[in-house]
Amino acid sequence: DAGVIQSPRHEVTEMGQEVTLRCKPISGHDYLFWYRQTMMRGLELLIYFNNNVPIDDSGMPEDRFSAKMPNASFSTLKIQPSEPRDSAVYFCASSPESGVVPQHFGDGTRLSIL
Amino acid sequence: AQSVTQPDIHITVSEGASLELRCNYSYGATPYLFWYVQSPGQGLQLLLKYFSGDTLVQGIKGFEAEFKRSQSSFNLRKPSVHWSDAAEYFCAVVNTGGGNKLTFGTGTQLKVEL
């Protein structure tokens, strides 16, 4: 079975540019999560969706960050404009149904803002 | 709010030695606990989970963890470490009242000496 697929794996761009990270969850999973990992703050939940609807975006750091899930098989996390402090590894994860079930993680996108 | 503490940032063990990684949680109700492992450049992989029942749970790769309510702990153990176990390990608790959201500890980096 294909796992959670993220693209790109690496992104290097200059400050001020728009960055779009992409995620394809595991087919049939109803929940999708976006995380950010940094040395200073560890793993932080940014936002999560249930059945394509954003449920909790309290972890989104600023208005520069936005996330969408136009259908069950695709989600994007956008940063506009990007800043050097946004440099981090961004993970997407998905899980099936509701209740307490493990999340399945993608391999992440390593983002560097120069 | 629930929280997870991993008191050891780095641990070094010799190959073949036993391993115990500590995890303490703060949660009012019965916690749902996970251990994940992250190898360099990769996403998080689930090692094991505790939901209820037997307090000693077995996971993949020869790992096990014991839930101790009296100590608010969920320590990860392995009787004999292999060099390939070198990675970062994360303990996590789920917020059952919040849509399967995970709260992660800060992680423990394991180094294995040959």
Side-chain angles (χ1 to χ4, degrees):
Chain A
D1 288 342
V4 175
I5 300 172
Q6 293 186 246
S7 64
R9 288 297 312 277
H10 303 273
E11 175 87 14
V12 180
T13 191
E14 294 187 346
M15 182 175 65
Q17 296 298 306
E18 178 180 289
V19 173
T20 300
L21 311 181
R22 297 172 176 81
C23 175
K24 177 179 171 57
I26 294 173
S27 177
H29 282 194
D30 297 328
Y31 284 86
L32 184 139
F33 305 82
W34 282 101
Y35 292 88
R36 179 172 66 176
Q37 185 179 36
T38 61
M39 290 291 293
M40 292 297 295
R41 301 174 67 91
L43 270 161
E44 305 172 276
L45 177 66
L46 301 178
I47 185 172
Y48 79 94
F49 295 82
N50 181 24
N51 291 322
N52 313 337
V53 176
I55 302 301
D56 184 347
D57 65 355
S58 60
M60 296 286 262
E62 301 172 32
D63 292 344
R64 298 184 295 106
F65 286 70
S66 62
K68 294 182 180 180
M69 192 165 185
N71 56 63
S73 60
F74 183 65
S75 177
T76 60
L77 178 67
K78 187 173 294 187
I79 308 172
Q80 168 62 22
S82 58
E83 297 182 4
R85 60 194 169 114
D86 302 330
S87 298
V89 181
Y90 291 81
F91 288 101
C92 177
S94 68
S95 69
E97 59 186 87
S98 59
V100 184
V101 291
Q103 295 178 19
H104 300 256
F105 283 77
D107 285 339
T109 295
R110 183 172 295 277
L111 177 62
S112 297
I113 308 297
L114 305 178
Chain B
Q2 70 283 353
S3 65
V4 174
T5 302
Q6 294 181 247
D8 304 306
I9 299 175
H10 299 279
I11 282 186
T12 300
V13 299
S14 298
E15 189 176 37
S18 63
L19 171 70
E20 183 167 27
L21 302 182
R22 296 183 290 165
C23 172
N24 293 97
Y25 65 89
S26 171
Y27 193 66
T30 299
Y32 295 84
L33 296 158
F34 302 83
W35 275 99
Y36 283 86
V37 60
Q38 184 181 25
S39 298
Q42 296 188 8
L44 281 71
Q45 180 184 21
L46 179 71
L47 282 177
L48 48 79
K49 61 185 184 290
Y50 172 77
F51 289 174
S52 64
D54 192 348
T55 56
L56 184 64
V57 293
Q58 302 296 320
I60 62 171
K61 304 185 180 186
F63 285 92
E64 66 178 25
E66 186 170 12
F67 171 67
K68 294 185 177 179
R69 184 186 299 276
S70 62
Q71 299 178 19
S72 297
S73 69
F74 188 57
N75 294 349
L76 182 70
R77 301 194 295 246
K78 187 170 185 178
S80 178
V81 170
H82 188 262
W83 65 266
S84 60
D85 293 325
E88 189 156 21
Y89 292 79
F90 293 91
C91 183
V93 64
V94 72
N95 179 355
T96 55
N100 208 19
K101 289 167 57 175
L102 281 172
T103 298
F104 285 91
T106 51
T108 298
Q109 186 72 45
L110 173 65
K111 179 180 177 182
V112 179
E113 292 183 332
L114 301 177

